[in-house]
Amino acid sequence: MTLLENPLLGAPDPAPARLFNAGGQSPFLIVGDHAGNAIPQQLGTLGLLEADRMRHIAWDIGVYDLGKALAQALDAPFLFQHYSRLVIDCNRDPYHPDASPAVSDGIVIPGNAELTPDRIAARVAAIHAPYHSRIAAELARRAAAAQPTIFLALHSFTPTLDGTSRPWEIGILHDGGDTRFAEALLAELIARPDITVGDNEPYQMDATDYSVPRHAYAAGMPYAEIEIRQDLLAEAGGVAAWSLTLCLACKAALQRIAATGAGS
């Protein structure tokens, strides 16, 4: 039976990508590569307990709620995908071993053991490719409407990994391409003495990242990859507070860039 005759996603499964606040008029486009922890019905539970499917290994905890709140605050669209990063990681090259890991933070993923090329291709075709095609289409639509875009990739990170505590509350990741906005946003956050900010911490943007390099680098598009510690997003109050912090910082970063340009 071919993949077309036996698609990975069936009627009960959510669409791979959704757009919230589609009519947002600000220059920001927010994306959530790991906003959900859904697993296609055909794959069962990947052999995982429910507790593990709710852990950071499966998704970026808090990003769905934060993305929606920030989208409203900035008047920006939030484009996100529902499926667990353990099914297919949409911020990785889809054929990299880390894209459908057999082990994550010490947890064995039985449903990812000895994946065949056909099974990996089915996940790519059902989730990874449609999600990135949706991002590309939204960017093309904005370009055709002469609407400037700043690409914000929203992520969250676990407070402790491999037994090591991570003190940062927020990190701004940047590397190639047009880093002006990322650097301006970083400067705005560092200026806040009440926030512990990481510059390419707790992760450094590198060759393992996929979304920002694919969509922002080649287009010369300003961007920032934002990481917020997950315990700070565990309750609605924390989501609201960080949405406000990021909204104000993003707007101030725009002003900082404009002032720098005017003075050059």
Side-chain angles (χ1 to χ4, degrees), residues 15-103:
R18 293 282 176 86
L19 187 61
F20 174 79
N21 196 32
Q25 294 300 303
S26 79
F28 298 102
L29 173 64
I30 307 167
V31 300
D33 299 334
H34 308 137
N37 64 345
I39 299 173
Q41 188 177 67
Q42 205 177 118
L43 299 182
T45 65
L46 292 178
L48 294 170
L49 298 173
E50 182 179 3
D52 289 326
R53 299 197 304 273
M54 297 299 295
R55 291 184 61 215
H56 74 93
I57 62 173
W59 60 332
D60 279 353
I61 297 168
V63 159
Y64 175 76
D65 291 330
L66 179 63
K68 291 176 68 176
L70 184 60
Q72 291 177 319
L74 285 174
D75 187 28
F78 174 42
L79 205 165
F80 62 97
Q81 72 90 21
H82 285 284
Y83 289 94
S84 173
R85 66 199 306 169
L86 298 177
V87 177
I88 188 78
D89 190 330
C90 287
N91 193 35
R92 293 291 181 269
D93 182 300
Y95 294 103
H96 191 282
D98 287 346
S100 296
V103 180

